[in-house]
Amino acid sequence: MPLETPVRVARELADRGYVADRGAVTLIAEADTPAATLEAAVDTLPAAAVKLTADHVRAVQADDPVDDPAAVPPDGADSDDTDDGELADDMGRADDDTETADDDMGRADDDTETVADNDDNESTADDTGSGNGFDAAEAETVGDREPSPPEIDNDVTGDSTGTGAYEEFVTVFRDRYERLSEQLRGRVNHRPADTIGEMTPGSQVAMVGLVNDIRSTASGHWLVELEDTTGTFPALVMKDRELAATVDKLLLDECVAVEGSLSDDAGLIFADDIHFPDVPRTYRPSTADREVQAALISDVHVGSQEFAAEAWERFASWLHTPAAEKIEYLLIAGDMVEGVGVYPDQDEELDIVDIYDQYRAFSERLKSVPGDIEIVMIPGNHDAVRLAEPQPAFNERLREIMSAHDARITGNPSVVTIEGVSVLMYHGVSLDELIAELPDDKASYDDPQEAMYQLLKKRHVAPQYGGKMRLAPEDHDYLVIDEVPDVFHTGHVHKLGWGQYHNVLAVNTGCWQHQTAFQKSVNIDPDVAHAPILDLDTLEMTVRKFV
Ligand code: D5M
Ligand code: FE
Ligand code: ZN
């Protein structure tokens, strides 16, 4: 029995449109005549069924002693020529593929990156298993995964009230102010905007507000205007003060506190300090109480000519191997498909032109993933949901198309808690904005995690409204980061980057789409087919490459 068999069994099933749980794959792979067992097991499924379980396979094996290795000693020559013939042939071809995959995975091992490479964390070189993972002896000990259902919070799906009316923008910004100012209030002795002008000139004052305007004065200083529910008030940041560097990091509409002294005419605050809601430095993330892992990915872009199909299949196959047995969750942070009409001339690079066909093809790709892995997905800007954020999850029709894998489908953003670890999943459109607006050392495409740190500091996933990021005004600002997450997971910029900010692991998870013509024209070199694997019990991360 070739060692690669579990992978080939999984592929064969996926090709036929079935998802199988790990137990089913293992039983078929270990059967004396895998091809016949597979055929028989599939035959027992009702026409509409897509999921093959270990019980199905056991039922077939109980009925048919020929497939029970204990009952009939294997006869190699016979089984090769008869029962196994056809599939063995197919699998023989697959074997060549697998060998490449194997080879690549060998490299993947060498290429495995750790948090330590990227930041100052400690991590083992590769704790996802030794060798290429296709170890038959180990496979025997592999049991079914038993993920717990994820808890989902902060999901707009089904609760959207916004119609886009002006008053709703007032409401959502008021909510943003209320919730973020709450986090700053205890730290400064602040006053409402409409009473500051009545205070004694020269006195110490503080105000909490949303940044309404940032402009430089004729003499090169900065005027930052804050707005609260009573009005606006300006603060002056002198250009030669250290604080001027902080102004570079300010975004419109974010919530900050300014402290300083009131000018002689009581018309502005000379700013001494600016505070952000931020994450406490002492934050201690929660961890799982068992050894279990999650794979975090994004930007699959099925339907694009650049979709990295082979790499995806290598990844999915690897998930069937013992090296991946601890991976019980797969989180996908948006852009499942390439979509249609997302960017000008996008249609020239489409492999599949119909949006529903794209989701059908995506669903097929999901079938290659072991059926006992819990999948959670949120939409991105290429997906067929409203573009304005917060984005509700896929509608019924799309859920139906993607139902094979029984994934948890939730909005963008969502807080997904798995094994006690809270993961803030957000697709990441605001990252483009941050990278454009902030100084390079604070946000760049090469280090997308730096931009994520800024979002954590601002406690909002998309502070600046009006540029690339579209806001849907709800009665509640879903984009505020109320609770500090243990992990912050984004995608969108197609670059891999991760690190810790005040003990929160921030990871942008690259993509499964090779460089597009647009990306080539602007020199974006995407990080394709990387799968960050997170240990939920230690929050250490390793990255597997499937390129
Ligand atoms: O976004 C992938 C990345 O590339 C993201 O940083 C936006 C950027 N991008 C890609 N195509 C375009 C066009 N045509 N205009 C502007 N920016 C673009 P994704 O959401 O996967 O397209
Ligand atoms: Fe994308
Ligand atoms: Zn995107």
Side-chain angles (χ1 to χ4, degrees), residues 78-97:
D78 217 357
S79 73
D80 269 351
D81 292 346
T82 56
D83 283 0
D84 246 1
E86 223 183 283
L87 185 56
D89 222 46
D90 280 342
M91 287 190 168
R93 282 201 301 279
D95 204 14
D96 299 336
D97 289 342

PDB file of all heavy atoms in Angstrom, residues 78-97:
ATOM      1  N   ASP A  78      -3.645 -10.099  -7.370  1.00  0.00           N
ATOM      2  CA  ASP A  78      -5.050 -10.133  -7.696  1.00  0.00           C
ATOM      3  C   ASP A  78      -5.706  -8.765  -7.546  1.00  0.00           C
ATOM      4  O   ASP A  78      -6.349  -8.257  -8.443  1.00  0.00           O
ATOM      5  CB  ASP A  78      -5.731 -11.145  -6.767  1.00  0.00           C
ATOM      6  CG  ASP A  78      -6.811 -11.893  -7.491  1.00  0.00           C
ATOM      7  OD1 ASP A  78      -7.051 -11.576  -8.694  1.00  0.00           O
ATOM      8  OD2 ASP A  78      -7.396 -12.758  -6.874  1.00  0.00           O
ATOM      9  N   SER A  79      -5.472  -8.197  -6.385  1.00  0.00           N
ATOM     10  CA  SER A  79      -6.182  -6.949  -6.122  1.00  0.00           C
ATOM     11  C   SER A  79      -5.688  -5.852  -7.056  1.00  0.00           C
ATOM     12  O   SER A  79      -6.435  -4.986  -7.448  1.00  0.00           O
ATOM     13  CB  SER A  79      -6.050  -6.545  -4.652  1.00  0.00           C
ATOM     14  OG  SER A  79      -4.745  -6.094  -4.420  1.00  0.00           O
ATOM     15  N   ASP A  80      -4.430  -5.895  -7.422  1.00  0.00           N
ATOM     16  CA  ASP A  80      -3.934  -4.885  -8.358  1.00  0.00           C
ATOM     17  C   ASP A  80      -4.624  -4.985  -9.704  1.00  0.00           C
ATOM     18  O   ASP A  80      -4.971  -4.003 -10.327  1.00  0.00           O
ATOM     19  CB  ASP A  80      -2.428  -5.060  -8.572  1.00  0.00           C
ATOM     20  CG  ASP A  80      -1.656  -4.213  -7.571  1.00  0.00           C
ATOM     21  OD1 ASP A  80      -2.325  -3.411  -6.874  1.00  0.00           O
ATOM     22  OD2 ASP A  80      -0.443  -4.365  -7.495  1.00  0.00           O
ATOM     23  N   ASP A  81      -4.811  -6.250 -10.152  1.00  0.00           N
ATOM     24  CA  ASP A  81      -5.360  -6.427 -11.493  1.00  0.00           C
ATOM     25  C   ASP A  81      -6.870  -6.310 -11.550  1.00  0.00           C
ATOM     26  O   ASP A  81      -7.440  -6.055 -12.592  1.00  0.00           O
ATOM     27  CB  ASP A  81      -4.975  -7.821 -12.027  1.00  0.00           C
ATOM     28  CG  ASP A  81      -3.485  -7.863 -12.266  1.00  0.00           C
ATOM     29  OD1 ASP A  81      -2.895  -6.777 -12.266  1.00  0.00           O
ATOM     30  OD2 ASP A  81      -2.945  -8.986 -12.424  1.00  0.00           O
ATOM     31  N   THR A  82      -7.511  -6.571 -10.452  1.00  0.00           N
ATOM     32  CA  THR A  82      -8.966  -6.593 -10.515  1.00  0.00           C
ATOM     33  C   THR A  82      -9.589  -5.397  -9.800  1.00  0.00           C
ATOM     34  O   THR A  82      -9.601  -4.306 -10.334  1.00  0.00           O
ATOM     35  CB  THR A  82      -9.513  -7.908  -9.945  1.00  0.00           C
ATOM     36  OG1 THR A  82      -9.007  -8.029  -8.620  1.00  0.00           O
ATOM     37  CG2 THR A  82      -9.087  -9.078 -10.776  1.00  0.00           C
ATOM     38  N   ASP A  83     -10.040  -5.687  -8.598  1.00  0.00           N
ATOM     39  CA  ASP A  83     -10.750  -4.667  -7.813  1.00  0.00           C
ATOM     40  C   ASP A  83     -10.143  -3.274  -7.899  1.00  0.00           C
ATOM     41  O   ASP A  83     -10.811  -2.295  -8.156  1.00  0.00           O
ATOM     42  CB  ASP A  83     -10.735  -5.081  -6.331  1.00  0.00           C
ATOM     43  CG  ASP A  83     -11.727  -6.170  -6.067  1.00  0.00           C
ATOM     44  OD1 ASP A  83     -12.405  -6.575  -7.047  1.00  0.00           O
ATOM     45  OD2 ASP A  83     -11.812  -6.606  -4.926  1.00  0.00           O
ATOM     46  N   ASP A  84      -8.851  -3.245  -7.648  1.00  0.00           N
ATOM     47  CA  ASP A  84      -8.196  -1.966  -7.491  1.00  0.00           C
ATOM     48  C   ASP A  84      -7.810  -1.328  -8.818  1.00  0.00           C
ATOM     49  O   ASP A  84      -7.401  -0.188  -8.853  1.00  0.00           O
ATOM     50  CB  ASP A  84      -6.915  -2.166  -6.655  1.00  0.00           C
ATOM     51  CG  ASP A  84      -7.029  -1.458  -5.338  1.00  0.00           C
ATOM     52  OD1 ASP A  84      -8.084  -0.862  -5.120  1.00  0.00           O
ATOM     53  OD2 ASP A  84      -6.061  -1.515  -4.564  1.00  0.00           O
ATOM     54  N   GLY A  85      -7.972  -2.157  -9.888  1.00  0.00           N
ATOM     55  CA  GLY A  85      -7.430  -1.738 -11.173  1.00  0.00           C
ATOM     56  C   GLY A  85      -7.671  -0.299 -11.556  1.00  0.00           C
ATOM     57  O   GLY A  85      -6.735   0.474 -11.690  1.00  0.00           O
ATOM     58  N   GLU A  86      -8.947   0.030 -11.683  1.00  0.00           N
ATOM     59  CA  GLU A  86      -9.248   1.341 -12.241  1.00  0.00           C
ATOM     60  C   GLU A  86      -8.752   2.494 -11.377  1.00  0.00           C
ATOM     61  O   GLU A  86      -8.091   3.404 -11.846  1.00  0.00           O
ATOM     62  CB  GLU A  86     -10.758   1.449 -12.413  1.00  0.00           C
ATOM     63  CG  GLU A  86     -11.116   2.068 -13.734  1.00  0.00           C
ATOM     64  CD  GLU A  86     -12.601   2.203 -13.815  1.00  0.00           C
ATOM     65  OE1 GLU A  86     -13.237   1.160 -14.056  1.00  0.00           O
ATOM     66  OE2 GLU A  86     -13.102   3.304 -13.617  1.00  0.00           O
ATOM     67  N   LEU A  87      -9.091   2.366 -10.118  1.00  0.00           N
ATOM     68  CA  LEU A  87      -8.710   3.449  -9.235  1.00  0.00           C
ATOM     69  C   LEU A  87      -7.199   3.502  -9.070  1.00  0.00           C
ATOM     70  O   LEU A  87      -6.602   4.576  -9.071  1.00  0.00           O
ATOM     71  CB  LEU A  87      -9.394   3.280  -7.876  1.00  0.00           C
ATOM     72  CG  LEU A  87      -9.181   4.410  -6.882  1.00  0.00           C
ATOM     73  CD1 LEU A  87      -9.615   5.741  -7.485  1.00  0.00           C
ATOM     74  CD2 LEU A  87      -9.967   4.144  -5.616  1.00  0.00           C
ATOM     75  N   ALA A  88      -6.615   2.295  -9.006  1.00  0.00           N
ATOM     76  CA  ALA A  88      -5.165   2.258  -8.850  1.00  0.00           C
ATOM     77  C   ALA A  88      -4.525   3.008 -10.002  1.00  0.00           C
ATOM     78  O   ALA A  88      -3.541   3.715  -9.836  1.00  0.00           O
ATOM     79  CB  ALA A  88      -4.680   0.823  -8.811  1.00  0.00           C
ATOM     80  N   ASP A  89      -5.120   2.851 -11.171  1.00  0.00           N
ATOM     81  CA  ASP A  89      -4.607   3.530 -12.340  1.00  0.00           C
ATOM     82  C   ASP A  89      -4.706   5.040 -12.169  1.00  0.00           C
ATOM     83  O   ASP A  89      -3.758   5.776 -12.347  1.00  0.00           O
ATOM     84  CB  ASP A  89      -5.461   3.097 -13.538  1.00  0.00           C
ATOM     85  CG  ASP A  89      -4.574   2.855 -14.729  1.00  0.00           C
ATOM     86  OD1 ASP A  89      -3.545   2.190 -14.532  1.00  0.00           O
ATOM     87  OD2 ASP A  89      -4.918   3.356 -15.807  1.00  0.00           O
ATOM     88  N   ASP A  90      -5.925   5.440 -11.817  1.00  0.00           N
ATOM     89  CA  ASP A  90      -6.130   6.868 -11.545  1.00  0.00           C
ATOM     90  C   ASP A  90      -5.150   7.342 -10.503  1.00  0.00           C
ATOM     91  O   ASP A  90      -4.546   8.390 -10.599  1.00  0.00           O
ATOM     92  CB  ASP A  90      -7.538   7.102 -10.976  1.00  0.00           C
ATOM     93  CG  ASP A  90      -8.551   7.107 -12.086  1.00  0.00           C
ATOM     94  OD1 ASP A  90      -8.131   7.273 -13.260  1.00  0.00           O
ATOM     95  OD2 ASP A  90      -9.719   6.935 -11.794  1.00  0.00           O
ATOM     96  N   MET A  91      -5.072   6.488  -9.480  1.00  0.00           N
ATOM     97  CA  MET A  91      -4.225   6.899  -8.378  1.00  0.00           C
ATOM     98  C   MET A  91      -2.773   6.854  -8.779  1.00  0.00           C
ATOM     99  O   MET A  91      -1.965   7.580  -8.247  1.00  0.00           O
ATOM    100  CB  MET A  91      -4.481   6.011  -7.174  1.00  0.00           C
ATOM    101  CG  MET A  91      -5.819   6.351  -6.560  1.00  0.00           C
ATOM    102  SD  MET A  91      -6.018   5.537  -5.020  1.00  0.00           S
ATOM    103  CE  MET A  91      -7.437   6.363  -4.359  1.00  0.00           C
ATOM    104  N   GLY A  92      -2.474   5.983  -9.740  1.00  0.00           N
ATOM    105  CA  GLY A  92      -1.107   5.939 -10.236  1.00  0.00           C
ATOM    106  C   GLY A  92      -0.732   7.291 -10.817  1.00  0.00           C
ATOM    107  O   GLY A  92       0.323   7.846 -10.526  1.00  0.00           O
ATOM    108  N   ARG A  93      -1.657   7.843 -11.582  1.00  0.00           N
ATOM    109  CA  ARG A  93      -1.378   9.185 -12.128  1.00  0.00           C
ATOM    110  C   ARG A  93      -1.274  10.199 -10.992  1.00  0.00           C
ATOM    111  O   ARG A  93      -0.403  11.029 -10.973  1.00  0.00           O
ATOM    112  CB  ARG A  93      -2.469   9.591 -13.115  1.00  0.00           C
ATOM    113  CG  ARG A  93      -2.281   8.918 -14.471  1.00  0.00           C
ATOM    114  CD  ARG A  93      -3.014   9.688 -15.543  1.00  0.00           C
ATOM    115  NE  ARG A  93      -4.444   9.783 -15.272  1.00  0.00           N
ATOM    116  CZ  ARG A  93      -5.308   8.818 -15.534  1.00  0.00           C
ATOM    117  NH1 ARG A  93      -4.929   7.703 -16.079  1.00  0.00           N
ATOM    118  NH2 ARG A  93      -6.600   8.992 -15.263  1.00  0.00           N
ATOM    119  N   ALA A  94      -2.196  10.019 -10.063  1.00  0.00           N
ATOM    120  CA  ALA A  94      -2.176  10.946  -8.927  1.00  0.00           C
ATOM    121  C   ALA A  94      -0.842  10.837  -8.202  1.00  0.00           C
ATOM    122  O   ALA A  94      -0.330  11.801  -7.682  1.00  0.00           O
ATOM    123  CB  ALA A  94      -3.310  10.644  -7.965  1.00  0.00           C
ATOM    124  N   ASP A  95      -0.302   9.604  -8.249  1.00  0.00           N
ATOM    125  CA  ASP A  95       0.950   9.352  -7.573  1.00  0.00           C
ATOM    126  C   ASP A  95       2.024  10.323  -8.042  1.00  0.00           C
ATOM    127  O   ASP A  95       2.771  10.874  -7.254  1.00  0.00           O
ATOM    128  CB  ASP A  95       1.366   7.907  -7.892  1.00  0.00           C
ATOM    129  CG  ASP A  95       2.295   7.379  -6.817  1.00  0.00           C
ATOM    130  OD1 ASP A  95       2.367   8.027  -5.778  1.00  0.00           O
ATOM    131  OD2 ASP A  95       2.920   6.336  -7.048  1.00  0.00           O
ATOM    132  N   ASP A  96       2.057  10.509  -9.373  1.00  0.00           N
ATOM    133  CA  ASP A  96       3.076  11.437  -9.890  1.00  0.00           C
ATOM    134  C   ASP A  96       2.876  12.809  -9.281  1.00  0.00           C
ATOM    135  O   ASP A  96       3.794  13.453  -8.817  1.00  0.00           O
ATOM    136  CB  ASP A  96       2.984  11.531 -11.411  1.00  0.00           C
ATOM    137  CG  ASP A  96       3.228  10.170 -12.040  1.00  0.00           C
ATOM    138  OD1 ASP A  96       3.894   9.342 -11.379  1.00  0.00           O
ATOM    139  OD2 ASP A  96       2.756   9.940 -13.147  1.00  0.00           O
ATOM    140  N   ASP A  97       1.588  13.206  -9.268  1.00  0.00           N
ATOM    141  CA  ASP A  97       1.283  14.510  -8.660  1.00  0.00           C
ATOM    142  C   ASP A  97       1.747  14.543  -7.218  1.00  0.00           C
ATOM    143  O   ASP A  97       2.337  15.490  -6.759  1.00  0.00           O
ATOM    144  CB  ASP A  97      -0.229  14.765  -8.631  1.00  0.00           C
ATOM    145  CG  ASP A  97      -0.741  15.027 -10.020  1.00  0.00           C
ATOM    146  OD1 ASP A  97       0.107  15.352 -10.891  1.00  0.00           O
ATOM    147  OD2 ASP A  97      -1.925  14.891 -10.235  1.00  0.00           O
TER     148      ASP A  97
END
